């Protein structure tokens, strides 16, 4: 069964080790081409993530360097990897092709310069998370103690996202920022999040948040990071499925996607250690859900909730 994965951090890994890592087959990458093919991943969202230690004045340059790596190392060297630059492109992928879509994890790379944001749109960024875990000029993230919401700049970014048919990603936002986004975003999503009702972690979404996101025609990409799934012990695929069960129990069966967070995590789920193992998850899901529901989780829910003429508010 084909897969659309809504979040991975392969770009920052390739940026960190440009001479050591190859997208084609480096085993250090959870998400390399051979593994995507083995896991039957038909489209992968690649996050641009600039580490917090990078100085403010250098962040946009680092974002551009990661986009350059995306073009030079992923697209140019692999003819079967196709750049997704419009929401309709997903419909035109051939069976042997893998779609590659750019996203942004943390709008601190633009500082307060909306021209830089527009440049990222022009370069093909189609989903934007306002923060990582900390605070920036747009909003507070989940680890900012003050827990403030969107700034005026943050509201402007969301408004521009709406105008450009770009998703606004809530996965790393503080609760107040989350609700601020939901008030004004036309295309809110959570690219890699889990259920706080099952595990009370600030990176997870409460039932109230998830229900509100579903009502706004958004989706939750279930993340695979064991530290967000349970308190302790070895984490299994079954533990991951309990988070899907929880979101389904509050009306999310048509709003659940898969957002692995591969290459952004230092530990993995047993039998789901990299993209090549995706069909292990699919096979287990088929024991619990109807095939059409599993197809929804795997790819169809993402396609159904992408910005397009049918669901423009």
């Amino acid at each position: 069964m084909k897969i659309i994965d809504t979040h991975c951090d392969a770009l920052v890994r390739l940026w960190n080790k440009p001479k050591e890592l190859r997208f084609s087959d480096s085993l250090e990458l959870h998400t390399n081409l051979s593994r995507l093919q083995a896991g039957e991943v038909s489209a992968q969202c690649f996050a641009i993530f600039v580490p917090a230690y990078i100085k403010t004045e250098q962040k946009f340059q680092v974002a551009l360097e990661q986009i350059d790596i995306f073009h030079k190392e992923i697209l140019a060297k692999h003819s079967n990897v196709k750049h997704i630059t419009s929401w309709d492109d997903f419909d035109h992928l051939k069976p042997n092709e893998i779609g590659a879509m750019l996203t942004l994890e943390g709008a601190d790379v633009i500082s307060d310069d909306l021209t830089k944001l527009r440049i990222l749109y022009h370069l093909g960024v189609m989903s934007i998370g306002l923060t990582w875990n900390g605070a920036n000029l747009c909003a507070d993230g989940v680890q900012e103690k003050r827990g403030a919401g969107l700034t005026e700049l943050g509201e402007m970014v969301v408004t521009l996202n709406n105008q450009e048919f770009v998703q606004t990603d809530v996965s790393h936002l503080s609760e107040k920022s989350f609700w601020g986004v939901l008030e004004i975003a036309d295309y809110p999503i959570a690219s890699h999040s889990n259920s706080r009702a099952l595990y009370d972690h600030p990176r997870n979404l409460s039932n109230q948040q998830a229900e509100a996101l579903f009502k706004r025609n958004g989706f939750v990409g279930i993340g695979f990071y064991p530290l967000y799934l349970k308190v302790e012990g070895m984490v299994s695929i079954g533990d991951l499925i309990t988070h899907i069960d929880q979101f389904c129990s509050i009306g999310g069966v048509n709003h659940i996607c898969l957002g692995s967070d591969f290459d952004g995590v230092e530990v993995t789920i047993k039998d789901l250690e990299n993209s090549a193992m995706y069909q292990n998850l699919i096979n287990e899901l088929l024991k619990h859900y109807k095939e059409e529901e599993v197809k929804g989780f795997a790819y169809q829910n993402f396609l159904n909730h992408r910005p397009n003429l049918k669901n423009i508010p």
Side-chain angles (χ1 to χ4, degrees):
M1 187 179 294
K2 70 179 182 180
I3 304 290
I4 295 178
D5 185 324
T6 60
H7 185 87
C8 83
D9 285 297
L11 286 181
V12 68
R13 297 283 298 278
L14 289 164
W15 173 80
N16 268 318
K17 295 184 176 181
K19 295 181 179 179
E20 295 95 332
L21 298 182
R22 295 190 308 269
F23 176 68
S24 58
D25 59 4
S26 288
L27 295 181
E28 189 175 329
L29 290 174
H30 297 145
T31 310
N32 65 36
L33 180 60
S34 63
R35 285 174 165 167
L36 290 172
Q37 291 171 324
E40 299 182 38
V41 177
S42 68
Q44 177 66 60
C45 297
F46 288 89
I48 301 159
F49 172 68
V50 178
Y53 65 82
I54 300 295
K55 293 181 180 180
T56 299
E57 62 271 20
Q58 297 174 337
K59 290 192 175 207
F60 189 68
Q61 175 63 31
V62 172
L64 293 180
E65 289 171 4
Q66 290 185 24
I67 295 172
D68 188 44
I69 288 170
F70 176 76
H71 282 272
K72 289 194 306 183
E73 302 300 323
I74 296 178
L75 298 178
K77 293 183 178 180
H78 308 97
S79 61
N80 59 332
V81 181
K82 300 299 180 181
H83 190 188
I84 299 290
T85 59
S86 74
W87 295 108
D88 290 339
D89 286 347
F90 289 96
D91 300 324
H92 304 296
L93 291 170
K94 297 175 182 177
N96 66 325
E97 293 178 338
I98 296 173
M101 176 180 132
L102 283 173
T103 71
L104 178 67
E105 188 171 28
D108 42 311
V109 304
I110 69 166
S111 187
D112 62 350
D113 189 345
L114 293 178
T115 298
K116 291 179 178 177
L117 178 64
R118 294 187 183 93
I119 290 171
L120 294 177
Y121 294 151
H122 295 321
L123 293 173
V125 174
M126 297 172 65
S127 180
I128 291 179
L130 298 182
T131 71
W132 189 52
N133 290 331
N136 59 31
L137 296 178
C138 289
D140 277 9
V142 296
Q143 289 183 348
E144 175 55 53
K145 292 182 179 180
R146 66 184 173 181
L150 297 187
T151 64
E152 183 178 358
L153 177 65
E155 292 177 354
M156 293 171 68
V157 170
V158 176
T159 298
L160 282 172
N161 286 349
N162 294 343
Q163 293 173 5
E164 296 294 328
F165 308 110
V166 167
Q167 296 168 332
T168 300
D169 187 353
V170 302
S171 277
H172 280 275
L173 292 178
S174 69
E175 284 204 44
K176 193 170 182 180
S177 296
F178 171 95
W179 292 112
V181 166
L182 251 63
E183 286 182 7
I184 60 175
D186 290 343
Y187 312 109
I189 67 158
S191 65
H192 55 306
S193 291
N194 299 93
S195 170
R196 193 179 297 176
L198 286 185
Y199 181 35
D200 188 13
H201 190 286
R203 270 284 282 109
N204 291 342
L205 298 177
S206 68
N207 282 349
Q208 185 182 15
Q209 288 175 301
E211 287 176 322
L213 187 58
F214 301 156
K215 289 177 181 177
R216 291 298 314 281
N217 203 39
F219 66 76
V220 176
I222 299 294
F224 298 176
Y225 190 31
L227 274 63
Y228 299 157
L229 294 172
K230 62 187 291 188
V231 176
E232 59 185 12
M234 182 176 290
V235 176
S236 67
I237 289 176
D239 294 317
L240 176 65
I241 291 175
T242 62
H243 284 256
I244 294 175
D245 293 341
Q246 176 61 32
F247 284 139
C248 285
S249 74
I250 57 171
V253 68
N254 296 317
H255 300 267
I256 293 168
C257 300
L258 302 174
S260 65
D261 207 6
F262 280 142
D263 291 302
V265 299
E266 68 277 5
V267 290
T268 55
I269 297 171
K270 185 178 183 298
D271 298 322
L272 194 57
E273 290 89 356
N274 56 63
S275 296
M277 314 295 282
Y278 246 120
Q279 296 308 309
N280 291 341
L281 172 59
I282 296 303
N283 291 336
E284 194 62 33
L285 282 168
L286 287 169
K287 298 176 184 177
H288 299 266
Y289 290 94
K290 298 174 184 177
E291 184 176 359
E292 286 306 307
E293 292 172 332
V294 178
K295 285 181 178 178
F297 305 154
Y299 65 92
Q300 195 61 55
N301 291 343
F302 176 90
L303 297 176
N304 290 346
H305 296 290
R306 57 188 158 161
N308 59 49
L309 293 177
K310 295 179 181 179
N311 63 16
I312 293 174

